[in-house]
Amino acid sequence: MTKRFPPLRLDDRDALAIINTSFLGEGPRLRSWFAQLVGAVNRELAASRSTMLHTLFVLDGAELFLPAGAGKASPKEPLQELLKRAGAAGLGLVLASQRPGELDYRCCASIDTWFVGKTEEQTLDKMKALFERRPLGHRNPSRLESGRFAMLYDGGARDVERASPLIRIEKLGEGELKTLAARTHPRSRHTPPVRRADAAGDDVRRGNTSQ
């Protein structure tokens, strides 16, 4: 059963949810889990009656879910569906990648605006499918300074510079993340820890205690 997201009121503080998937790795478990998440979001959008922007979905590591090549990743189709219908249902979608050469740009045709930062020449060759639809003009991302981007959109391109962030960004360790999660979601304090199953544990649970 899908839990419906409560509507936000303008007088409320903006709701923020951060999902840390590092414990899932970067393989099939992560892709399977993410496909289910996107499927749930798609179902929410299907029931949405608002075209006004009400939610922003930011996804890092987009190349893991829309990988280039012949291989078929389980999140590809639901994520493509989300890209097509998001704007009309009031959802803003931001995809980010530190490995843009591994992204399947054929699946991203419905993305309107791109920000390309400093990128190696070898990687730029793998991004030709993007630049055919969103030309760089005279710009060469391999020569960009840190904090500068080429903004590509339908009908043109322009140079932009990142301003100072409004919030301080710090990297948190796994222990700090768990503590923060327990503080923001009190129910997690009462949830028994999940034990990783191994061969010995499985034998004990099946009643096989022979040595």
Side-chain angles (χ1 to χ4, degrees), residues 81-99:
E81 181 67 22
L82 185 61
L83 285 168
K84 292 177 182 177
R85 71 196 314 181
L91 174 69
L93 190 57
V94 179
L95 305 185
S97 175
Q98 297 294 321
R99 295 179 286 185

Side-chain angles (χ1 to χ4, degrees), residues 67-70 76 80 103-110 129 133:
K76 250 188 177 182
Q80 282 183 273
L103 189 63
D104 188 348
Y105 293 95
R106 296 170 302 174
C107 298
C108 303
S110 55
R133 293 187 297 106

Side-chain angles (χ1 to χ4, degrees), residues 120-138:
E120 296 180 355
E121 290 281 0
Q122 185 176 2
T123 300
L124 292 174
D125 289 339
K126 300 177 181 179
M127 300 170 65
K128 288 181 178 178
L130 168 62
F131 301 138
E132 289 173 358
R133 293 187 297 106
R134 297 286 188 269
L136 284 166
H138 64 277

